[in-house]
């Protein structure tokens, strides 16, 4: 699907609604996520695992409202304390703030909120997924579980996006390398700032194998530095930053991203 000509201004408007909501996604990351969201196929729903107080949820729902791409399915138990949501600062839950943010933005009707874990949400799940946005538990076991639970429901051409792939967590980078870059079920794949993404193309993903393998070789150098959830500090942090620099992760323009979905090296 061709990206709409007004996408840049639409993402601008969505970010204006979302930017002041507490959360961990910055403007550059959101611009990348917005492009992936609008560029994903229309058949299916968007699943967001990990919503916190609704920053990315409001932004995506704003785009959903503008382009008629709905719903956004939010999966988050909103409980505390949580290692991945330290900004709760004494609150017992983030759900009230999350709900208030949706109402204030006028997008509550674009969102299906499930106040449960991803494992609970997956029970009985049967809906096709157009975009799987993984931003929950950043441990390897947690990120892998989120991917494994919902990836069987990806629509042809669906996009998987994983937040914090180039941050100091084991889960996102390892799942990105092992489950996307090393899998012929995915076609084009890459990094946009810290978001690792891949397009689900089980029919012809093998055509993109060289492109994915080249990226996997670079990204794999990060894995030993965060293995077992170890902290990155001192010399390891310097080495981490260097290896991240060597992994291509600039944010593509919409036109460049569309080209990436069809460009491949012959196997």
């Amino acid at each position: 699907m061709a990206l709409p000509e007004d996408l840049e201004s639409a993402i601008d408007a969505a970010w204006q609604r979302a930017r002041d909501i507490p959360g961990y996604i910055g403007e550059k990351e959101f611009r990348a996520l917005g492009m992936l969201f609008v560029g994903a196929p229309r058949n299916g729903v968007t699943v967001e695992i990990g919503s916190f107080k609704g920053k990315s949820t409001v932004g995506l729902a704003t785009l959903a409202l503008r382009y008629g791409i709905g719903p956004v399915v939010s999966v988050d138990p909103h409980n505390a304390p949580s290692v991945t949501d330290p900004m709760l600062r004494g609150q017992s839950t983030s759900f009230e703030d999350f709900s208030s943010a949706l109402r204030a933005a006028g997008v509550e009707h674009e969102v299906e909120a499930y106040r449960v874990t991803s494992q609970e949400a997956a029970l009985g799940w049967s809906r096709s997924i157009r975009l799987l946005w993984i931003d929950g538990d950043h441990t390897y076991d947690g990120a892998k579980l989120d991917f494994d639970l919902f990836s069987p429901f990806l629509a042809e051409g669906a996009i998987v996006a994983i937040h914090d792939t180039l941050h100091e967590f084991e889960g996102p980078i390892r799942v990105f390398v092992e489950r996307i870059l090393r899998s012929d079920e995915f076609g084009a794949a890459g990094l946009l700032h810290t978001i690792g993404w891949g397009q689900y193309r089980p029919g012809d993903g093998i055509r993109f194998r060289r492109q994915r393998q080249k990226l996997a070789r670079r990204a794999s150098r990060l894995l030993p530095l965060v293995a077992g959830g170890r902290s990155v500090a001192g010399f390891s942090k310097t080495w981490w930053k260097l290896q991240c620099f060597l992994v291509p992760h600039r944010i593509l323009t919409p036109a460049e991203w569309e080209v990436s979905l069809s460009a491949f090296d012959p196997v």
Side-chain angles (χ1 to χ4, degrees):
M1 184 187 75
L3 293 170
E5 293 183 359
D6 66 344
L7 179 59
E8 295 284 356
S9 61
I11 292 177
D12 286 340
W15 176 247
Q16 290 302 311
R17 285 192 183 182
R19 67 178 184 179
D20 293 329
I21 299 170
Y24 303 96
I25 188 167
E27 181 176 0
K28 289 182 178 179
E29 295 170 307
F30 179 74
R31 299 194 74 85
L33 178 61
M35 180 176 67
L36 297 174
F37 174 78
V38 177
R42 295 297 179 95
N43 55 312
V45 300
T46 295
V47 174
E48 174 186 71
I49 301 176
S51 301
F52 191 43
K53 297 189 177 184
K55 195 180 190 82
S56 62
T57 321
V58 165
L60 295 181
T62 300
L63 291 170
L65 183 62
R66 180 160 182 159
Y67 293 116
I69 312 171
V72 176
V73 178
S74 162
V75 179
D76 193 319
H78 293 280
N79 54 7
S82 170
V83 174
T84 53
D85 293 338
M87 288 171 56
L88 283 177
R89 295 174 182 171
Q91 289 178 281
S92 61
T93 178
S94 58
F95 187 70
E96 283 73 20
D97 288 346
F98 168 79
S99 300
S100 295
L102 297 185
R103 288 193 298 270
V107 295
E108 65 269 35
H109 298 301
E110 300 297 321
V111 178
E112 293 180 16
Y114 293 86
R115 193 177 175 182
V116 296
T117 66
S118 59
Q119 196 165 10
E120 292 169 322
L123 292 174
W125 184 274
S126 61
R127 302 162 79 180
S128 180
I129 297 174
R130 60 180 297 274
L131 173 72
L132 178 58
W133 169 227
I134 299 177
D135 191 19
D137 186 341
H138 283 20
T139 66
Y140 173 63
D141 288 341
K144 177 178 177 292
L145 180 64
D146 291 340
F147 181 91
D148 290 347
L149 286 172
F150 289 95
S151 58
F153 302 97
L154 294 172
E156 180 78 27
I159 301 295
V160 176
I162 307 176
H163 196 206
D164 292 326
T165 301
L166 284 188
H167 277 172
E168 298 162 15
F169 304 100
E170 181 182 21
I173 183 66
R174 188 170 168 188
V175 170
F176 177 62
V177 170
E178 295 180 355
R179 287 294 197 267
I180 294 178
L181 296 184
R182 292 176 178 165
S183 171
D184 283 337
E185 290 198 330
F186 284 86
L191 285 135
L192 303 172
H193 202 262
T194 71
I195 297 175
W197 68 275
Q199 186 183 38
Y200 182 66
R201 293 174 63 156
D204 66 350
I206 192 172
R207 299 192 307 156
F208 295 80
R209 181 186 289 174
R210 287 187 180 176
Q211 180 259 337
R212 285 184 283 99
Q213 287 180 336
K214 182 178 179 180
L215 182 56
R217 284 193 293 271
R218 294 188 180 186
S220 294
R221 296 169 188 163
L222 296 167
L223 299 183
L225 299 175
V226 291
R230 69 180 61 172
S231 176
V232 180
F235 176 76
S236 292
K237 193 172 186 72
T238 302
W239 187 246
W240 167 271
K241 290 181 178 179
L242 174 61
Q243 295 306 318
C244 284
F245 176 77
L246 296 175
V247 177
H249 60 278
R250 74 177 182 88
I251 296 179
L252 305 178
T253 66
E256 289 173 327
W257 184 73
E258 285 184 293
V259 168
S260 75
L261 296 182
S262 58
F264 66 94
D265 294 323
V267 176

